[in-house]
Amino acid sequence: DAKTTQPNSMESNEEEPVHLPCNHSTISGTDYIHWYRQLPSQGPEYVIHGLTSNVNNRMASLAIAEDRKSSTLILHRATLRDAAVYYCILKEVFGNEKLTFGTGTRLTIIP
Amino acid sequence: GAVVSQHPSRVICKSGTSVKIECRSLDFQATTMFWYRQFPKQSLMLMATSNEGSKATYEQGVEKDKFLINHASLTLSTLTVTSAHPEDSSFYICSARDRGALSTDTQYFGPGTRLTVL
């Protein structure tokens, strides 16, 4: 599986936007970029995914670099409930359905 | 959105006993479910892939005779930790994919089961 690299931790002030980066320089043309997050003592939850174009949903936006070697998850207005570990995962469209979790980014929201 | 439940949410057992954890997809059918284990301060590690009506596929290093997986229906998979020992204490999480979804679509995760073996 292609590997992703994320910062171990980030902090952000409440009610400000948060940009969570992910590098995936070995991404292949058939890899989708998925983001999940895990709140304390809970199972992960899906956030967003995309292939080439930027994506928006009610939770977040995903900005994908033109060469697809990096992406950024954008939380437009962070709340305390957004404090979690955020995982950036590559998933091959024709491959098996497994998700391989890296270490993720632990996001702390400062009130 | 789709909901996956797990039961029990937490369990404490004595060393040597077996513990069964259930994973249910509540409003969709899942031909494939996944079982993960997460130790404190670590990431999720996939243990096995559970396929309805067939044998589970285990990841390298996971003992299939110790972690028994049964996926008897499209909405239920069970993980039994046999002869549990303190080193099996962990957070066990299942996930499921909607059988009607595209292969690129999301997985839905359960809330996890905290196992403590004394």
Side-chain angles (χ1 to χ4, degrees):
Chain A
D1 294 330
K3 189 178 171 63
T4 62
T5 304
Q6 300 176 252
N8 287 334
S9 62
M10 289 183 64
E11 288 185 350
S12 179
N13 293 320
E14 192 178 10
E15 298 187 4
E16 290 187 357
V18 182
H19 291 236
L20 297 163
C22 180
N23 287 321
H24 28 77
S25 58
T26 60
I27 190 171
S28 75
T30 54
D31 283 335
Y32 272 75
I33 303 159
H34 286 246
W35 284 82
Y36 285 77
R37 72 179 186 181
Q38 185 177 23
L39 279 64
S41 299
Q42 296 187 30
E45 66 173 337
Y46 167 78
V47 178
I48 200 167
H49 76 283
L51 183 62
T52 56
S53 303
N54 294 344
V55 184
N56 299 295
N57 65 21
R58 63 175 182 81
M59 287 182 70
S61 295
L62 176 60
I64 301 173
E66 197 168 334
D67 63 5
R68 299 210 325 126
K69 293 186 177 182
S70 66
S71 61
T72 302
L73 178 70
I74 303 166
L75 307 180
H76 295 287
R77 191 168 170 270
T79 69
L80 295 177
R81 293 173 58 184
D82 291 320
V85 179
Y86 287 77
Y87 296 98
C88 168
I89 302 169
L90 300 183
K91 190 169 177 298
E92 189 180 350
V93 63
F94 297 120
N96 60 48
E97 300 167 35
K98 296 194 293 187
L99 292 175
T100 302
F101 285 80
T103 53
T105 296
R106 183 173 298 277
L107 176 65
T108 300
I109 304 299
I110 302 168
Chain B
V3 177
V4 174
S5 70
Q6 281 185 243
H7 178 79
S9 58
R10 59 179 62 234
V11 56
I12 300 173
C13 69
K14 292 182 179 180
S15 185
T17 60
S18 294
V19 175
K20 180 186 283 189
I21 302 170
E22 292 185 349
C23 176
R24 292 182 186 272
S25 57
L26 297 185
D27 48 4
F28 66 98
Q29 293 182 326
T31 50
T32 304
M33 291 183 171
F34 302 88
W35 286 96
Y36 297 82
R37 181 168 52 181
Q38 185 175 33
F39 292 108
K41 306 293 185 185
Q42 295 186 24
S43 187
L44 283 79
M45 295 296 296
L46 180 66
M47 299 175 66
T49 302
S50 168
N51 298 297
E52 186 266 337
S54 64
K55 291 184 179 180
T57 303
Y58 291 81
E59 295 298 303
Q60 192 171 10
V62 177
E63 300 175 57
K64 63 180 181 182
D65 294 330
K66 180 169 183 61
F67 298 99
L68 302 179
I69 291 173
N70 183 274
H71 193 155
S73 78
L74 289 172
T75 59
L76 174 65
S77 176
T78 60
L79 168 68
T80 301
V81 183
T82 62
S83 186
H85 291 283
E87 57 266 30
D88 298 321
S89 299
S90 188
F91 193 47
Y92 291 86
I93 306 168
C94 72
S95 72
R97 193 177 75 82
D98 189 333
R99 85 187 281 203
L102 299 174
S103 63
T104 55
D105 282 355
T106 67
Q107 288 184 18
Y108 301 99
F109 286 81
T113 296
R114 176 84 53 197
L115 171 63
T116 302
V117 185
L118 302 176

